[in-house]
């Protein structure tokens, strides 16, 4: 099984990239996580789209299509989804009836230096994914507040409670992607 990891932060030392690395450590045997970098993605522009998707957009859509599931780590900027991540969702949601997001299992998590732990950004992202007809998990939630206290100076997740929440999220995503029906 292949999970595509997407960090909504471009910063190399971001806590959300570190969260993806921690998730990789918790994957069961036979499951791999490949991270996609959003740096080269152009801003969504319907005129550009009409002329044909640029190569970075083609690569994004192919990576999503080829993955069994998505794991998105989002920071929260100004109480919302970072522009780079929303831009990626905008491109991936096109064309509306043939989007690679349609039916794709997606789990969301996020780390922030603030106390909210990315709750608002995750809510906005969940809404955009649901509109795009992705199969976004609403539970379990992984909201990591005050991330500087949860990771060490090397970007390693050292908070046991967060690690347990992350393990539950990863396990749930793998089970959903594998077609296991979850009890309500």
């Amino acid at each position: 099984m292949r999970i595509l990891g997407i960090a909504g932060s471009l910063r190399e030392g971001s806590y959300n990239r570190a969260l993806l690395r921690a998730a990789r450590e918790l994957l069961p045997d036979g499951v791999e996580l490949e991270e996609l970098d959003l740096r080269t993605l152009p801003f969504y522009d319907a005129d550009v789209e009409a002329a044909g998707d640029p190569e970075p957009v083609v690569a994004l859509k192919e990576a999503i299509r080829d993955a069994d599931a998505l794991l998105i780590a989002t920071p929260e900027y100004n109480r919302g989804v970072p522009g780079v991540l929303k831009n990626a969702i905008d491109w991936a949601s096109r064309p509306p009836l043939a989007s690679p997001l349609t039916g794709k299992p997606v789990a969301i998590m996020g780390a922030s230096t603030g106390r909210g732990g990315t709750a608002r950004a995750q809510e906005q992202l969940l809404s955009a994914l649901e509109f795009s007809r992705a199969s976004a998990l609403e539970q379990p939630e992984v909201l990591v507040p005050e991330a500087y206290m949860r990771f060490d100076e090397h970007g390693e997740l050292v908070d046991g409670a967060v690690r347990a929440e992350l393990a539950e999220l990863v396990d749930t995503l793998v089970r959903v992607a594998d077609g296991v029906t979850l009890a309500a």
Side-chain angles (χ1 to χ4, degrees):
M1 178 181 296
R2 188 171 155 275
I3 297 174
L4 182 65
I6 299 174
S9 173
L10 300 179
R11 190 172 65 86
E12 280 301 318
S14 85
Y15 293 117
N16 287 283
R17 288 185 182 278
L19 206 50
L20 282 175
R21 286 193 306 274
R24 183 180 290 117
E25 296 169 5
L26 299 169
L27 293 173
D29 290 338
V31 179
E32 65 181 50
L33 187 143
E34 176 187 326
E35 190 174 339
L36 180 74
D37 193 335
L38 300 177
R39 288 177 201 274
T40 61
L41 208 57
F43 291 118
Y44 176 76
D45 179 332
D47 293 333
V48 171
E49 179 187 26
D53 287 346
E55 177 51 39
V57 173
V58 171
L60 168 71
K61 290 179 180 182
E62 286 177 358
I64 292 170
R65 215 173 260 113
D66 292 344
D68 296 297
L70 302 180
L71 180 59
I72 300 175
T74 184
E76 186 169 293
Y77 296 165
N78 299 312
R79 296 187 175 179
V81 175
V84 68
L85 185 53
K86 178 61 169 73
N87 184 55
I89 298 302
D90 289 344
W91 274 115
S93 69
R94 311 287 302 167
L97 298 177
S99 163
L101 291 171
T102 301
K104 188 70 63 176
V106 182
I108 304 168
M109 58 186 180
S112 170
T113 57
R115 292 185 177 172
T118 73
R120 290 181 180 106
Q122 288 192 39
E123 183 179 328
Q124 290 174 4
L125 187 55
L126 184 63
S127 180
L129 288 165
E130 287 174 344
F131 186 78
S132 301
R133 297 190 341 259
S135 183
L137 303 178
E138 293 186 34
Q139 295 291 327
E141 288 184 320
V142 176
L143 305 163
V144 184
E146 300 173 322
Y148 53 88
M149 296 172 40
R150 318 288 176 217
F151 294 87
D152 68 15
E153 64 276 2
H154 305 291
E156 298 295 320
L157 180 61
V158 294
D159 186 297
V162 172
R163 186 171 287 278
E165 291 172 358
L166 184 55
E168 183 182 3
L169 180 69
V170 167
D171 179 63
T172 302
L173 180 61
V174 168
R175 289 174 38 220
V176 168
D178 202 27
V180 176
T181 304
L182 301 177

